[in-house]
Amino acid sequence: MKKKLLSVLLCTAMVATLAVGCGGGNDGGSDSNADSGSSTASSDSGDDADSDGGESSGGGTYAIVTKSAGNPFNEKTAEGFQEVIEAAGGTAIVKHPESATADAQVSVIQSLISQGVDSICIAANDENALQAALEEAMDAGIKVCCEDSKTNPDSRQVFVNQAGVQEIGQALMDAVLDISGGEGQWAVLSATSQAANQNAWIDAMKEVMESDDKYSGLELVEVAYGDDEPQKSTDQTQALLAKYPDLKVICAPTTVGINAAAKVLQDEKSSVKLTGLGLPSEMAEYIGDDDDHSCPYMYLWNPIDLGRLGAYTSMALVDGTITGAEGDKFTAGDMGDYEVIAADDGGTEMILGAPFKFDASNIDEWKDVY
């Protein structure tokens, strides 16, 4: 059957390699479109493209909006999203805003509304500031989900969550406890102060720390914000070292932040250790149990799979398999069956899986994967 395509297709190739540097928000294959985003469009690839087991029929035009250009995690998420949409015979539009701000994302959303896309899957830079733009999109019949970092419930139909908030908070807090030896000062190096996922994980860590006396010897001295920019994350790490000479551990629940902090700590031969959420390919040289390595271990999930699940979810919303209501179920191709559940913010979500630990014993086998 013929798939119906929009007449306007943006054709810049997406660069999704993790080897590219992340500075300045201008790499990653960005162009200078009027909506401040780079884009990728695929063409209809045939009638049987959805034979991989998903219930969605493909076709149509599906957009993914990342946090910003030059973010390696987001680039891999977009890669997974594009893979699934194109295999299903649809058109994938990938947008990388030039900066990790709500304003940059609003501009991209408005452009996508004018193009008449069928769905938008977005990693929100601000939980609330995108509401007007995303409500306008939904009023225009565009299906909206978010992944990685959620919007508020009024701005989405469902959230594709990479892992449970409490699971992440527990894993990171236990890592800080272990690496610090159970006592001493520690700090958080986050992304932006408005990032819903970062804030939720940090709050979960604080709740874990307050819930059990075994964490009573730990002192959280500061939550610093590197805004998911390599240079600012580097500067914030150096500031933490200068301000807190007794600091033992930095926890960076952001792939940009942990990579920048790891380099600072290792280059300066600092005794401060690092944990958090990082990409194996970027962090392999910093992972180790000895004094020559700044990060004993860290966690993450597969960003490609997160993007793939975002794509399957987008298609399921468009074809009516799900509405985003609690209890909805669908098959995400070879990823298996998923169910929409209640989220703690009053909206709904689905969860990709538990965080995975990367350490010296397995980092070599994963560094070439993503």
Side-chain angles (χ1 to χ4, degrees):
M1 81 186 253
K2 288 188 175 180
K3 305 292 193 301
K4 191 174 180 180
L5 300 180
L6 294 177
S7 60
V8 181
L9 297 179
L10 303 176
C11 300
T12 304
M14 178 186 73
V15 177
T17 176
L18 295 176
V20 177
C22 304
N26 290 321
D27 54 353
S30 296
D31 59 17
S32 56
N33 293 340
D35 58 359
S36 301
S38 64
S39 62
T40 299
S42 69
S43 60
D44 192 336
S45 59
D47 295 331
D48 59 351
D50 61 343
S51 59
D52 60 354
E55 295 187 8
S56 299
S57 59
T61 303
Y62 304 84
I64 182 169
V65 181
T66 68
K67 290 182 176 179
S68 65
N71 183 316
F73 181 90
N74 283 180
E75 289 174 351
K76 298 308 285 186
T77 302
E79 180 183 308
F81 182 92
Q82 183 180 7
E83 170 199 324
V84 168
I85 297 300
E86 291 183 345
T91 299
I93 295 180
V94 176
K95 290 290 189 178
H96 297 300
E98 290 183 354
S99 61
T101 64
D103 286 345
Q105 288 188 320
V106 167
S107 179
V108 170
I109 293 166
Q110 290 171 339
S111 175
L112 292 170
I113 293 171
S114 69
Q115 293 179 57
V117 299
D118 292 297
S119 73
I120 295 172
C121 180
I122 187 166
N125 284 326
D126 188 295
E127 188 169 8
N128 299 308
L130 305 178
Q131 182 169 337
L134 290 175
E135 284 184 335
E136 181 182 349
M138 289 186 284
D139 288 344
I142 297 171
K143 304 303 182 183
V144 174
C145 66
C146 49
E147 50 85 20
D148 181 25
S149 183
K150 67 181 179 179
T151 63
N152 64 34
D154 292 330
S155 306
R156 71 180 195 256
Q157 288 166 288
V158 68
F159 172 38
V160 182
N161 196 350
Q162 54 265 60
V165 170
Q166 294 305 316
E167 289 179 299
I168 297 171
Q170 186 72 59
L172 294 179
M173 198 63 242
D174 284 342
V176 172
L177 182 73
D178 174 41
I179 294 169
S180 68
E183 61 181 9
Q185 295 181 342
W186 68 286
V188 172
L189 175 62
S190 185
T192 68
S193 60
Q194 297 85 23
N197 58 346
Q198 299 283 311
N199 292 338
W201 298 334
I202 294 166
D203 287 344
M205 291 181 72
K206 292 176 180 178
E207 290 171 6
V208 170
M209 187 170 63
E210 295 168 359
S211 68
D212 195 315
D213 287 342
K214 71 179 181 180
Y215 305 102
S216 61
L218 294 171
E219 179 189 2
L220 175 58
V221 292
E222 185 175 335
V223 177
Y225 299 98
D227 292 348
D228 261 354
E229 296 177 3
Q231 187 57 56
K232 186 169 182 180
S233 297
T234 295
D235 295 343
Q236 290 286 0
T237 302
Q238 292 169 334
L240 288 171
L241 297 180
K243 289 168 67 175
Y244 307 104
D246 296 325
L247 193 67
K248 281 192 170 183
V249 178
I250 294 173
C251 180
T254 160
T255 58
V256 176
I258 197 172
N259 183 247
K263 180 172 175 53
V264 170
L265 297 178
Q266 204 146 300
D267 286 352
E268 297 190 6
K269 301 187 185 309
S270 174
S271 63
V272 176
K273 293 299 182 180
L274 177 69
T275 191
L277 305 176
L279 288 165
S281 58
E282 291 191 330
M283 289 294 293
E285 65 181 295
Y286 306 113
I287 299 287
D289 296 324
D290 54 35
D291 291 339
D292 293 330
H293 295 84
S294 55
C295 182
Y297 56 87
M298 64 176 191
Y299 295 87
L300 199 63
W301 36 87
N302 191 327
I304 298 173
D305 281 347
L306 181 61
R308 294 180 72 223
L309 185 55
Y312 282 119
T313 301
S314 296
M315 291 191 297
L317 287 168
V318 169
D319 71 17
T321 302
I322 65 172
T323 64
E326 183 179 357
D328 280 354
K329 297 178 182 179
F330 73 108
T331 300
D334 58 6
M335 299 181 72
D337 297 331
Y338 283 84
E339 180 176 356
V340 178
I341 62 175
D344 59 9
D345 64 356
T348 59
E349 66 181 9
M350 64 190 70
I351 295 177
L352 177 65
F356 183 80
K357 182 179 180 180
F358 298 96
D359 58 22
S361 71
N362 63 14
I363 192 65
D364 284 341
E365 66 183 277
W366 284 100
K367 67 182 181 181
D368 294 327
V369 178
Y370 70 101

